[in-house]
Amino acid sequence: MAAQGELATWVREAVASVRVTDMHTHLFPPSFSALQVSGADNVLTYHYLIAEAMRVGQMPPTEFWDLPTPLQADWIWEQLFEKTTPLSEAALGVVQIAQAFAVDLRREKLAGLRAKLEATATDVYANHVLDLAGVDSVVMTNDPFDEIERRYWEQGTPRNPRFHAALRLDVLLNDWPRAQAQLSHSGYHVGPELGEVDMAEVRRFLKDWVAKIKPVYFAFSAPDTFAFPEDSVRGRLLAEAILPICREQRLPLALMIGVRRQVNPSLRSAGDSTAKASMLPIEALARRYPDNKFLVTFLSREDQHELAVTARKFGNIMPFGCWWFLNTETLVSEISNLRLELIGPTFVIQHSDARVLEHVIYKWRRARKVATDVLTHKYQQLQDAGWDLTREDVERDVKQLFSQNFWDFVKR
C-alpha cells in the first residue's frame, strides 16, 4: 500500500495535471466580440465584487451605475483592496488572477493588472488563459432570444473549438409572452394559448437551434418555486416540447434551481439571492421520463443532501458543481465530501460559472485545492480499511470527476 506521503503526492499530481471540462460558464469566444468579456476592469466589476464593495463604501447605487466601467473598477478597487483586506472568495480571486499574470497587486495595484490583461481578447489570449487554468474546453450559455447573440449564430460566425454551446431556455420557460413575440417575428406560428399547432412550432424552433449551434445540452435556470408537473405554460412546454426534443436529439436538460431574482433591485446584476427549493420536481422528472437525462444543481446549501440522495435513486440524474453562492472553499469541501459519501465519484465536481474569461484561473485553482484535500482524506480512509489503492485508480477518478463523467453522461 502507498505510504501517506506517497498517496498525497499521487492525488496532488493527478489533480494538478488533469485537463478540465468547464461544463457551465457564461463565456463567449473572441469571435463573438460584442459579448466576449475579459480584462481587468471587467474582473473588478464582477457582480460579486459590486455587492461586496457596496457594503464597504458609501456610494449610492444610482451614482455607481452612472459611472463608466473604468471608474467603477477604480471605486471597487479602493473599497476592497485599499480600505479592507481581500479575504472574500471573489476578492481573493482577483489576487490569484494577478499572481497567474505575475502582477504584484500590492506594488503595481490595478494599473498593473490592466497592463497584463486583455480587454479585447484574441484567440491566442483566450487559449493562454484557458491553459493557465488547465481548462481543456468550456461550455457556454447561449440564448436564442438574445438579439445580439442570435446574429452571430445566424451569420455562421466561426468560433474557437474550445468553446462548446449549450441552448439556454430561460426566456422560453420564464417569459412566454416575450418568447411568443420573438418566435412569431422569426417565422414560427405560435399564439398565446399554446395549442397543438403552436407546440409543434416550438419543437421546430428547438430542432432548428440544435442544428444551428449543436449544443451539448439544453439549460434552464429556475426559481426556488419551480414545480413539476404543473398545469402552466412552463409545465406544458417542458412536457410537450422540451423533453421530447431532448429525447429525440439525445441531449440532457440542465436544471439550475433556487434563484431568487432581484431581491435588491438597486444592485441590478448583483441583486439576486437564493432560497431553498423542493426536490419533488426533480424526482417527478426523473421518474416520469426515464429516457431523459438531467444535469442538476441547486443554489441552496440546504438542498444538497436531498439532491445526492435523489441521485442515488435515479441514474438519469447527474449532480454538478457548486453554483454561485456555494462556490466557496468551505461549502465546496462540504458538498464534495457529502457527494462522495453518498454516490461515490459519479458526479461533476465543479464548474466555474465564469462570466469574465480570466475567472477560470482562480475558480479552477480553488477547485483543485479543495479536491486535493477532499480526495486525499477519502483515499486515506479507503487504504486504512485495507483497500490496496493504486496511482491508476486515483488518476482515473480525478479524470472522471473533472471531465469524463460529464462527457460520458452527455454522450450516453
Side-chain angles (χ1 to χ4, degrees):
M1 289 191 182
Q4 186 171 357
E6 185 181 22
L7 175 59
T9 298
W10 291 354
V11 178
R12 184 175 64 253
E13 291 180 351
V15 173
S17 62
V18 69
R19 299 289 290 179
V20 170
T21 297
D22 195 343
M23 54 79 61
H24 170 57
T25 76
H26 295 269
L27 302 177
F28 290 93
S31 57
F32 286 44
S33 55
L35 299 171
Q36 188 277 328
V37 180
S38 64
D41 288 343
N42 286 311
V43 167
L44 263 291
T45 55
Y46 183 32
H47 64 84
Y48 286 30
L49 295 172
I50 291 171
E52 291 173 22
M54 291 291 179
R55 294 181 56 81
V56 180
Q58 302 302 312
M59 183 181 293
T62 51
E63 290 186 22
F64 175 83
W65 295 116
D66 284 341
L67 295 174
T69 300
L71 291 183
Q72 290 180 353
D74 288 338
W75 184 78
I76 291 171
W77 172 266
E78 181 184 0
Q79 310 315 307
L80 299 183
F81 298 87
E82 300 286 356
K83 291 183 178 179
T84 59
T85 302
L87 292 175
S88 73
E89 181 265 339
L92 175 58
V94 176
V95 179
Q96 291 176 314
I97 291 170
Q99 183 183 51
F101 282 87
V103 176
D104 180 353
L105 284 182
R106 293 289 276 183
R107 183 173 57 85
E108 301 177 66
K109 302 187 183 299
L110 180 53
L113 200 62
R114 282 172 168 152
K116 288 291 184 72
L117 273 54
E118 292 188 6
T120 303
T122 61
D123 271 333
V124 171
Y125 180 74
N127 287 333
H128 176 58
V129 171
L130 295 180
D131 290 341
L132 283 173
V135 171
D136 185 63
S137 62
V138 303
V139 180
M140 303 178 283
T141 295
N142 303 109
D143 182 359
F145 295 96
D146 182 281
E147 182 178 351
I148 296 173
E149 181 175 353
R150 193 167 61 247
R151 286 200 295 267
Y152 285 110
W153 292 111
E154 290 173 347
Q155 293 166 4
T157 303
R159 68 181 190 274
N160 187 316
R162 295 170 77 168
F163 289 74
H164 302 287
L167 189 64
R168 188 67 170 252
L169 303 175
D170 287 29
V171 173
L172 185 66
L173 289 170
N174 290 333
D175 190 354
W176 173 245
R178 176 185 164 192
Q180 186 257 324
Q182 291 197 27
L183 287 170
S184 297
H185 181 73
S186 299
Y188 298 93
H189 305 294
V190 294
E193 301 304 319
L194 265 180
E196 289 186 13
V197 173
D198 305 313
M199 201 66 76
E201 285 291 89
V202 173
R203 292 192 292 268
R204 181 168 72 91
F205 163 76
L206 293 172
K207 286 194 286 188
D208 287 348
W209 273 89
V210 169
K212 195 186 305 287
I213 74 173
K214 297 178 174 53
V216 292
Y217 59 78
F218 286 4
F220 167 45
S221 179
D224 58 292
T225 56
F226 174 63
F228 188 89
E230 185 179 52
D231 185 16
S232 65
V233 169
R234 178 192 291 157
R236 290 189 57 213
L237 283 167
L238 275 169
E240 299 175 39
I242 293 167
L243 292 173
I245 297 302
C246 283
R247 286 194 299 275
E248 176 186 309
Q249 301 291 326
R250 302 180 65 82
L251 292 170
L253 174 62
L255 293 155
M256 293 165 279
I257 302 171
V259 180
R260 292 184 65 217
R261 297 291 184 190
Q262 294 298 280
V263 170
N264 184 351
S266 69
L267 294 181
R268 298 189 186 180
S269 60
D272 296 341
S273 189
T274 179
K276 188 181 187 307
S278 172
M279 199 62 54
L280 296 179
I282 302 303
E283 291 179 358
L285 285 164
R287 183 174 58 249
R288 289 173 177 234
Y289 303 98
D291 294 329
N292 280 87
K293 298 172 290 184
F294 302 95
L295 293 151
V296 182
T297 197
F298 279 79
L299 190 50
S300 169
R301 177 190 188 185
E302 288 72 22
D303 286 310
Q304 303 309 314
H305 179 239
E306 286 184 76
L307 175 58
V309 171
T310 303
R312 283 170 62 98
K313 311 305 172 185
F314 298 99
N316 58 340
I317 291 176
M318 174 65 74
F320 72 93
C322 298
W323 178 34
W324 203 336
F325 304 116
L326 296 177
N327 192 3
T328 67
E329 189 169 334
T330 300
L331 293 178
V332 174
S333 177
E334 174 187 302
I335 293 165
S336 298
N337 269 299
L338 173 68
R339 289 174 177 169
L340 285 169
E341 290 164 356
L342 284 172
I343 57 175
T346 63
F347 59 97
V348 177
I349 198 164
Q350 190 54 299
H351 63 276
S352 74
D353 200 27
R355 292 178 177 272
V356 181
L357 176 61
E358 294 87 354
H359 282 168
V360 295
I361 295 171
Y362 90 83
K363 291 190 182 256
W364 284 107
R365 284 191 175 191
R366 191 81 43 80
R368 289 177 199 266
K369 178 185 182 300
V370 174
T372 298
D373 294 342
V374 168
L375 289 171
T376 300
H377 173 67
K378 290 299 178 190
Y379 285 136
Q380 190 60 56
Q381 286 184 317
L382 185 60
Q383 280 212 150
D384 291 346
W387 184 267
D388 188 10
L389 192 74
T390 69
R391 187 170 193 141
E392 289 71 26
D393 293 333
V394 173
E395 291 172 346
R396 178 199 61 212
D397 295 345
V398 168
K399 183 178 180 181
Q400 288 175 340
L401 286 164
F402 280 85
S403 181
Q404 200 61 47
N405 283 343
F406 169 71
W407 288 115
D408 287 347
F409 190 75
V410 166
K411 294 175 180 177
R412 187 185 304 167

